[in-house]
Amino acid sequence: MHELAVTQRILEIALRHADGASRITKLNLIVGDLTGILSESVQFYWDIITRETRAEGSTLCVSRVPTRLRCGDCGHEFAPDGRTFDCPNCGGRRVIIMTGREFRLESIEVQ
Ligand SMILES: [Zn+2]
């Protein structure tokens, strides 16, 4: 459900930026792991909602950005282990999210 709304938004943006082009051939999407957005789901919805639009048959390239955190106590940088965001170095819980929340349409290619 979440991915459907997100995918519709991508299509809106792409079509707006493809003004004057007859076809959108490729899209480059940046998605952080913390967004919880699954690339497979986006691709699934993409193939459906682009039917009979200028983006039909286009390639959707999703670049994933892994989650990186920094401890607010000791400054240690780490990737979460999937269970906790606590600092593995000092056990601190004041973490700063450095990457992983990205979600943007980086570029589109048109014909
Ligand atoms: Zn720490």
Side-chain angles (χ1 to χ4, degrees):
M1 194 57 214
H2 179 47
E3 276 90 351
L4 175 58
V6 157
T7 311
Q8 280 171 330
R9 186 90 188 100
I10 296 163
L11 181 59
E12 277 170 31
I13 295 168
L15 290 173
R16 201 166 61 225
H17 284 83
D19 242 9
S22 59
R23 267 174 49 74
I24 296 170
T25 53
K26 188 178 174 190
L27 298 93
N28 294 300
L29 201 64
I30 309 283
V31 180
D33 280 342
L34 266 183
T35 61
I37 295 169
L38 298 174
S39 308
E40 297 76 19
S41 302
V42 172
Q43 182 68 60
F44 173 78
Y45 289 125
W46 183 254
D47 292 341
I48 294 168
I49 68 169
T50 55
R51 277 178 203 157
E52 292 173 23
T53 73
R54 285 179 294 157
E56 184 170 9
S58 58
T59 307
L60 192 60
C61 288
V62 181
S63 301
R64 304 294 305 198
V65 181
T67 305
R68 290 291 298 173
L69 307 172
R70 190 172 67 209
C71 176
D73 292 325
C74 75
H76 181 63
E77 283 185 26
F78 60 100
D81 62 9
R83 287 169 299 147
T84 168
F85 275 16
D86 295 355
C87 173
N89 191 47
C90 74
R93 294 189 160 173
R94 295 189 309 123
V95 295
I96 299 149
I97 297 168
M98 303 186 68
T99 62
R101 282 191 295 204
E102 297 79 358
F103 181 75
R104 64 177 185 275
L105 182 58
E106 185 81 338
S107 61
I108 60 173
E109 292 171 27
V110 297
Q111 253 175 18

